[in-house]
Amino acid sequence: MIDIRPANTEDAERISTLIVAMAVQYLHVDCTPEGFEHLLTTMTADAARARMVEGYAHWIATQGDDLAGVCVARDDGHLYHLFVADAFQRQSIARRLLDIAITHCLATSPDVGVLTVNASSFATPAYQRMGFVPCGSRRETHGVRYQPMRLDIR
């Protein structure tokens, strides 16, 4: 049984461990070496704690003691992180986390009509299956290439 709950600063180490492992496995192909190093600095436990203090909403999906997934969203309708561990893929965990993020964004910023995400090449098909569409061409910032995507949430 997968449980989803808001994350707190005590979860930051586990969150960092999961997202760094996923980045090493899937995101490095979208980065220059310098870009990947920069990306990893945004995935530390301290960075997660700082985002929590800044007001980014965090949720984790767990099964027993295992961290199955993590989702981070800003109130302005931007999905900052959405990762599901390999062992938990294809169980609708990403969709459940996404639905919680949408509900949160609409509750905190009722005028937000769109949820955006900067998708890696690996994640783009998954986001498309959840209804996101590309908006513009692939971009690169700080040596990290991504596909801007959007989902109408009204």
Side-chain angles (χ1 to χ4, degrees):
M1 170 94 169
I2 298 293
D3 294 311
I4 297 177
R5 66 165 173 83
N8 59 56
T9 56
E10 293 173 7
D11 298 311
E13 291 290 341
R14 293 173 66 199
I15 290 170
S16 176
T17 299
L18 172 64
I19 64 178
V20 166
M22 299 300 288
V24 167
Q25 187 169 355
Y26 297 110
L27 303 184
H28 70 279
V29 298
D30 289 324
C31 302
T32 64
E34 298 82 16
F36 189 64
E37 288 303 314
H38 170 76
L39 182 64
L40 291 178
T41 67
T42 70
M43 296 179 161
T44 65
D46 286 341
R49 284 186 205 93
R51 279 189 295 278
M52 290 176 192
V53 170
E54 291 171 24
Y56 286 47
H58 290 65
W59 301 272
I60 58 171
T62 59
Q63 184 175 57
D65 292 334
D66 295 328
L67 181 60
V70 62
C71 181
V72 179
R74 294 190 316 230
D75 290 347
D76 66 353
H78 183 74
L79 192 61
Y80 190 80
H81 284 317
L82 180 58
F83 289 97
V84 175
D86 285 339
F88 296 95
Q89 295 281 328
R90 303 232 180 247
Q91 297 179 36
S92 299
I93 296 168
R95 182 76 235 187
R96 288 177 58 197
L97 288 165
L98 175 62
D99 289 344
I100 290 168
I102 290 169
T103 299
H104 169 80
C105 288
L106 288 172
T108 56
S109 301
D111 294 334
V112 171
V114 173
L115 187 65
T116 60
V117 68
N118 296 329
S120 68
S121 56
F122 176 78
T124 297
Y127 284 118
Q128 287 176 313
R129 285 190 299 274
M130 291 187 286
F132 282 84
V133 294
C135 53
S137 58
R138 286 183 56 81
R139 297 182 188 158
E140 182 175 319
T141 303
H142 302 294
V144 180
R145 290 177 297 281
Y146 59 92
Q147 174 63 58
M149 301 184 83
R150 62 182 279 149
L151 173 68
D152 291 326
I153 57 174
R154 292 197 176 244

